[in-house]
Every structure is written in structure tokens, then in C-alpha cells.
Amino acid sequence: MKRFVSFTAIVALVAVFAGTGIAADTIKLGVGGAHSGDLASYGLPTVKAAELVVKDINAKGGILGKQVELVVEDDVCKPEVATNTATKLVDQDVKVVLGHICSGATKAALSIYNKAGVIAMSPSATNPELTQSGEYPYFFRTIASDDAQARLEVDFALDVLKFKKIAVLHDKGDYGKGLAEFAKKFLEEDPRGEVVLYEGITPGAVDYSAVVQKIKRTGAEAVIFGGYHPEASKIVTQMRKKRMDTVLISDDGVKDDTFIKVAGEYAEGVYATGPKDVSKNPLAIAANKAHQDTYGAEPGAFFLNAYAAAQALLNAVEKAGGTEDIDAIVNALRTEPVDTPLGQIKFDERGDAIGVGFSVYQVQNGVYVEVQ
Amino acid sequence: MDLQYFAELFLGGLTRGSIYALIALGYTMVYGIIELINFAHGEIYMIGAFTGLIVATVLTFAGFPTLAVLVLASVAAVVYSSCYGYTMEKIAYKPLRGAPRLSALISAIGMSLFLQNYVLLAQTSDFLPFPSLVPDLPFWEPYAHIISSQEIVIISVTALVMILLNLLIKFTRMGKAMRATSQDREMAMLTGVDVNRVISLTFIIGSATAALGAVLIASHIGQINFYVGFIAGIKAFVAAVLGGIGSVPGAVVGALVLGWTESFFTGYISSDYEDVFAFIFLVVILIFKPSGILGRSETQKV
């Protein structure tokens, strides 16, 4: 009897081990970002991109014979939540993360990933320090950094629009302020431009009439705004209601259809920089079509960047032969080019994608049109 | 210095102050009657804005003229929000009337979170465009860059609401009952005042002014979402405390002082520290006048 008990115990143990063995036999891809709250419209397309890429790969037999499993966690775009989100993903044994979305939240999450040796790749976090500081060796992104956007905004204002007096505003957040600081620096370096006003505004305030009056008083020809669409639409609306025709130039936090919907007629003529138009790339067309077929809607912000990031991450995992050796994955990301909807990409030493950039768009008749 | 710039900032501050005042009136009235800081007041404001948006969209679609849309949307928002205010008091505050004040305060915070999340789930988390319901009048066009017709409407409605509330409190039977309840609830009850009715009415009036403000303000700003009530509510609460919570003219004075402080500080110094400065100002005023600008200090009964 005793022997029988120990025998069954062994069988049971083996069964348990076999069970966990089967459960662990997947490759986990974490997805962290804003999936609810004000900025959910930036984060949800990334989840959908990941779902589509993973579905595609799993249908073809997965990676190295293993199925890919998604682990999705919400950070609401808040740094204080993002550390929890990152910890949850690390606890679930995730080694590669697609995310996060907002720069502030990404920075917070990276402190956790760095310690745990987890690779994160953001489709949208554009704060320059994330790659340029060298503090986060396991961080990559499939979007150009903010100084690239600020450079483009300043060049556009000076070279194309031929403006001299420019007001620079920001929303005091990591993303907006970072961008505004670069714009200010580039304008000061250029003898043609003059920064007539540099200020931070309080996000969510009931009105911005005092700041708008101040812009008017300085006689600025254009406002470069670093921040997101809720504030941008309030500023442009109040400027137009004060009968000012000052041009608004902003960033990809504003290049969102919600901005046009909310600002309505006042959105007309606003310039915003955003990722290059890749609509002619056959892989992009296929990805958009897959989204349309699966979810019955047009994809949202950063969808293709996220799609490319998911592909690049999973490709690198395959080339590195699994998720055990983090350095091998990092090496694969730097050396193995991948064909993605953004074109063929690989990553430089700092983690920025080579071959990914920005264009200027303008709102014309209620849609963003690329300015040549 | 530059007189026109000063005038523009003055008018900008006046509008901003009037916005705060319309919301602050509800805080101050409820506090005056039952000494409860109704944290869910901002949410009543937000619900008013949503109701206004829905009604305005439907009516505009049906081809009503703008002025009719404005009036009907305001009426709908006022009625709907008042119902919410009334129900909220019955559900969340009345059962706690005998309980320590802290319990009612927690209940108010709970109510605020509940309503926020309810609108988030039932409606949307997106920002929604709010149509401009106050038309730009052609004859006013030369002055529109200084002060728009919408801003004039907001300022005049605030003034009118404040005057009417003051008359109501000072000269009607109901106003007398309100003052009695505010001074001593038990004594008022003994002399035959229907305290429950007075409290309900206070919540209804407070919610109505918030809803009226919501429609006008949302139409001025042009966008709403489920979170607008929280931020506007906090500022209005500060305004009510600054002016002396419990006092109706105090709420308006406090709101205007706050509006002007923010506007002038932004205009002449910097908007980076707008909130910092506004709150430093609050602290300084409360140090020298702990009961607010127009508040009366009460001796605590033992």
C-alpha cells in the first residue's frame, strides 16, 4: 500500500511537471500601454497590431515550433501605474514587451525592465532621452525621437512658411516639454528665427484665454505646441475665437483624428508632424487590410509602428533561438533587417530604428494631408 | 502699462472667474445648509454637460434654430442634473445625516468616483466636440477679439444667478427656512421647518446652477469628456473656500479673485506656475482670514 501511494505520488508529480512543461512551451509577448482613459486611442491600436501579427505567426506554426502568447497589461498612460504594469509582466515571465505608449509611462516601466533584463520596444514613445541617455540598453523603438520632430517643425516654419517670430508652448509633460525644449534650442541656434514666447500651460484647465492673449501680444506668426490633442484643440479654438490667424504647428500627439473631430472648423490649416506616409508599402496595405477584415474598422494611431515592432521583436526572438539569451535578441535586433510595413528596418546602437521618420501634415477639409 | 492688454486680461479673468462661480455656488449652498463638502458636485456639472450635448445634437439635427437649441438644451440639462442631485442626496447623504461628518465626506467622494466611471462606461472615454450654442452676433464682430458674445453670456448669467439666489435666500419663505436650517437644524425642525424639503431643494438649486454653467462653459470651450467635472470642481471648490464657504456672494467673489489671479499672473509673469501661484494666494488669504473673504467666523458650540 505504501509503495502504491509513493508510486501514485510520483506519477502525479510527473504529470504536474509535464503539465507545466506544456504550459510553458509558448513564447510570451507582453503588450503594455494606455488601453483605457484619455489616451486609450493611442494604445489600443498597438494591442490590435500585436494580435494580428501573432495570429499570423501562429497560423504559420509559431516561432521555433512554439506558439506565441500575448500578455496584455494596461498602464493608462500614467507613470505611477506603469511600474505596476511592468512588474506584472515581469512576474508572468515575459521577456520581450511591445510598449509602452506614452513616454512618461515608458520611462517608468523601463526602470523595472532594466533590472529584470527584459527587452521593451515602443511604437510611439518619442522622448529623446529614452535612447540618447544610454541608460536603457534594452530599449528600442520604431518611431523617430522628438528632436527629429522638433527639427522638422522648426525647419518647416523657417524654410517653408518663412516665419520669424515663433511662440513655443508645451503642456509641461515629459513628451510635450521635451519637444518644446528642442524646438526652442533649434530656433535659438538659427539666426532667422526668434522665440518670442516660451511657456508651459496647465493641461485640463478650463480655459487658456490669458495665454492666448499673451501670444497675441507678442505678435507671433506661429505657435509651436508640444503636447496632446485636448489642449491643442482648446488653444486653437480660443485663438480663432479671438479672431487671431496665428498658425499652429504641432506634433504627432495632435496628429490624431480626434483632434479634427473636437476642434472642428478651427482645426483647418493646423500643421502637425507625424510618421512618414507608408500607405504605398504593400506590407502596410496588407496590415491595414487585415485590421479592416478582423475588426471592421480603420486602424488607429501608431498601428503600423506597432505592427513593425511586433514583427521585429518576434523575428529577433526567432533568430536568437528563444527568449533565454537576452543579449542574443539585442544583437539580432541590431544586425538582422526585417521587412515591415514601415519598410526594411533594423536598429542602431542606441535603439532607434534606422529608416523611420516624420513628415509634415496639414488639416485640409477635415483630414490630415501630407505636405510635400 | 499697456491698457488694452490689461483690459483683455481683466475680461479673460472675469470670464474664467464666472465659470468657476457658476460651479462654486452649488458647493457653497450645500455647505451652508448641511456642512457637507459635496465632492460629487463636479460630476453633476459633467452630467449636465453630457445631457446638454445629447439634447443639442438631437435638436440641431432636427433643424431647430440655435437660440432654441441653447434654451432647450439648458432646460434639459438643468432638469436632468437636478434629478441626479436630488437622488444623490437621498441615496448617499440622507442616510448619513446623523453620522460623523467624515462618513458623509467619504460617501461624497465615492459618489463622485461612481458617477465619473458610470459616464465613462455608459458614454465614452473620448473627448467629444461640443457645438457653439451662443451665436456670434454680426454687430458685435468689431469687439469680438476683446470679448466674445459667449463670454458676455457667461458673465451675465453668473451675475443673474447670483442675484436671484440672493433674493431667494433673503426674501422668500423658502429662503428663510434655508437660513433657519443653516443656523440650527434641530431648532428649525422644532419650529416647523420641513428640513428634508429644504435640503432637497438646496441640492436641486445647486445642481441646476451647475448644469446651466455646464452647458454655457462647454459651449465656450468646445469639448467635454467624463473627467471635466473633476478639474472644474476642484477649482470651484477652492473658489468657494477662498470666498468663505457657505456664503453665496462669497463664492462669486472668491471665484472672481481666483480667475483674476490666474489670468494676470499668466499674462504678466508666466503660465508655468499658474496653479502654484493661485494656491499660494489661497494660503495667504486663509492665513489672514481663515473663514474666507466674505465668510463669517462662527464660534463653535460645545
Side-chain angles (χ1 to χ4, degrees), chain B residues 55-282:
Chain B
V55 173
T57 313
V58 172
L59 292 181
T60 311
F61 198 68
F64 280 73
T66 319
L67 208 62
V69 174
L70 174 66
V71 172
L72 290 174
S74 306
V75 169
V78 163
V79 170
Y80 204 73
S81 287
S82 301
C83 293
Y84 264 92
Y86 175 83
T87 317
M88 184 170 76
E89 195 269 328
K90 290 280 177 259
I91 294 176
Y93 306 143
K94 198 178 169 209
L96 292 170
R97 213 173 275 164
R101 276 167 66 182
L102 210 54
S103 313
L105 191 72
I106 298 298
S107 183
I109 292 173
M111 207 62 209
S112 162
L113 289 173
F114 168 79
L115 288 174
Q116 244 179 53
N117 284 282
Y118 157 67
V119 173
L120 167 68
L121 292 172
Q123 295 290 326
T124 170
S125 63
D126 278 349
F127 278 90
L128 298 171
F130 200 99
S132 190
L133 295 177
V134 180
D136 284 319
L137 301 169
F139 78 89
W140 190 252
E141 194 53 35
Y143 313 104
H145 66 282
I146 301 172
I147 182 163
S148 69
S149 43
Q150 309 209 340
E151 290 168 329
I152 296 175
V153 170
I154 290 181
I155 295 168
S156 11
V157 167
T158 306
L160 197 68
V161 167
M162 187 195 79
I163 292 168
L164 287 179
L165 277 183
N166 243 335
L167 292 179
L168 175 93
I169 291 170
K170 287 227 170 84
F171 297 110
T172 61
R173 268 183 78 82
M174 198 62 210
K176 203 184 247 176
M178 281 173 147
R179 277 178 290 149
T181 311
S182 140
Q183 280 168 9
D184 190 326
R185 198 190 301 154
E186 272 174 32
M187 196 61 208
M189 230 184 304
L190 287 176
T191 53
V193 173
D194 186 346
V195 171
N196 283 333
R197 224 175 111 228
V198 169
I199 293 173
S200 290
L201 197 80
T202 309
F203 270 86
I204 289 174
I205 294 172
S207 306
T209 56
L212 192 62
V215 173
L216 292 174
I217 296 160
S219 153
H220 170 62
I221 300 168
Q223 56 174 282
I224 57 168
N225 82 340
F226 72 94
Y227 204 58
V228 288
F230 181 76
I231 293 162
I234 289 287
K235 279 290 174 69
F237 172 59
V238 170
V241 173
L242 191 61
I245 195 153
S247 147
V248 169
V252 177
V253 169
L256 290 177
V257 167
L258 188 66
W260 279 320
T261 311
E262 289 183 351
S263 187
F264 284 122
F265 187 78
T266 302
Y268 287 118
I269 305 171
S270 163
S271 68
D272 289 75
Y273 295 95
E274 181 188 273
D275 281 354
V276 177
F277 193 78
F279 284 94
I280 288 177
F281 198 68
L282 172 78

Side-chain angles (χ1 to χ4, degrees), chain A residues 36-41 78 169-170 172 177 198-211 213-217 229-235 237-238 241-244 258 261-266, chain B residues 1-2 4-5 8-9 12-13 15-16 19-20 125-129 132 136 141 144-148 150-151 219-223 225-227 231-232 262-263 265-275:
Chain A
S36 65
D38 286 359
L39 297 163
S41 64
K78 289 183 177 157
L169 296 186
H170 60 82
K172 300 193 247 185
K177 193 175 183 187
Y198 178 75
E199 293 225 342
I201 57 164
T202 308
V206 288
D207 93 336
Y208 294 114
S209 62
V211 167
Q213 296 290 6
K214 212 169 177 180
I215 296 170
K216 187 171 147 196
R217 191 178 185 221
H229 61 78
E231 282 71 40
S233 59
K234 276 189 211 169
I235 290 172
T237 304
Q238 294 214 320
K241 281 191 176 165
K242 293 277 173 214
R243 308 295 185 267
M244 292 158 62
T258 316
K261 199 178 89 188
V262 170
E265 52 174 320
Y266 302 115
Chain B
M1 37 206 283
D2 187 343
Q4 194 193 340
Y5 185 57
E8 283 167 350
L9 290 178
T15 312
R16 190 182 263 229
I19 291 175
Y20 294 151
S125 63
D126 278 349
F127 278 90
L128 298 171
S132 190
D136 284 319
E141 194 53 35
H145 66 282
I146 301 172
I147 182 163
S148 69
Q150 309 209 340
E151 290 168 329
S219 153
H220 170 62
I221 300 168
Q223 56 174 282
N225 82 340
F226 72 94
Y227 204 58
I231 293 162
E262 289 183 351
S263 187
F265 187 78
T266 302
Y268 287 118
I269 305 171
S270 163
S271 68
D272 289 75
Y273 295 95
E274 181 188 273
D275 281 354

Side-chain angles (χ1 to χ4, degrees), chain A residues 17-160:
Chain A
F17 274 98
T20 50
I22 289 160
D25 212 21
T26 56
I27 286 174
K28 285 182 178 167
L29 175 64
V31 181
H35 304 148
S36 65
D38 286 359
L39 297 163
S41 64
Y42 295 137
L44 289 174
T46 295
V47 180
K48 292 186 172 151
E51 282 170 2
L52 289 173
V53 171
V54 165
K55 199 173 84 179
D56 209 31
I57 285 177
N58 284 345
K60 287 177 189 156
I63 294 174
L64 310 163
K66 294 175 186 173
Q67 292 282 298
V68 181
E69 182 192 343
L70 279 183
V71 186
V72 181
E73 293 289 348
D74 186 5
D75 71 11
V76 225
C77 186
K78 289 183 177 157
E80 65 273 24
V81 181
T83 47
N84 287 338
T85 311
T87 312
K88 271 192 217 163
L89 287 171
V90 170
D91 285 348
Q92 291 176 66
D93 240 3
V94 169
K95 293 285 177 211
V96 284
V97 175
L98 172 57
H100 294 207
I101 302 299
C102 304
S103 289
T106 305
K107 200 169 176 180
L110 283 177
S111 59
I112 306 285
Y113 294 145
N114 243 13
K115 271 182 234 147
V118 167
I119 292 180
M121 186 182 289
S122 170
S124 59
T126 50
N127 188 308
E129 274 182 35
L130 292 174
T131 53
Q132 290 173 11
S133 69
E135 277 176 53
Y136 310 111
Y138 299 140
F139 177 69
F140 297 86
R141 60 180 157 208
T142 52
I143 194 161
S145 70
D146 284 329
D147 52 350
Q149 280 198 79
R151 181 84 259 170
L152 185 63
E153 285 172 26
V154 169
D155 287 350
F156 187 78
L158 299 178
D159 297 340
V160 182

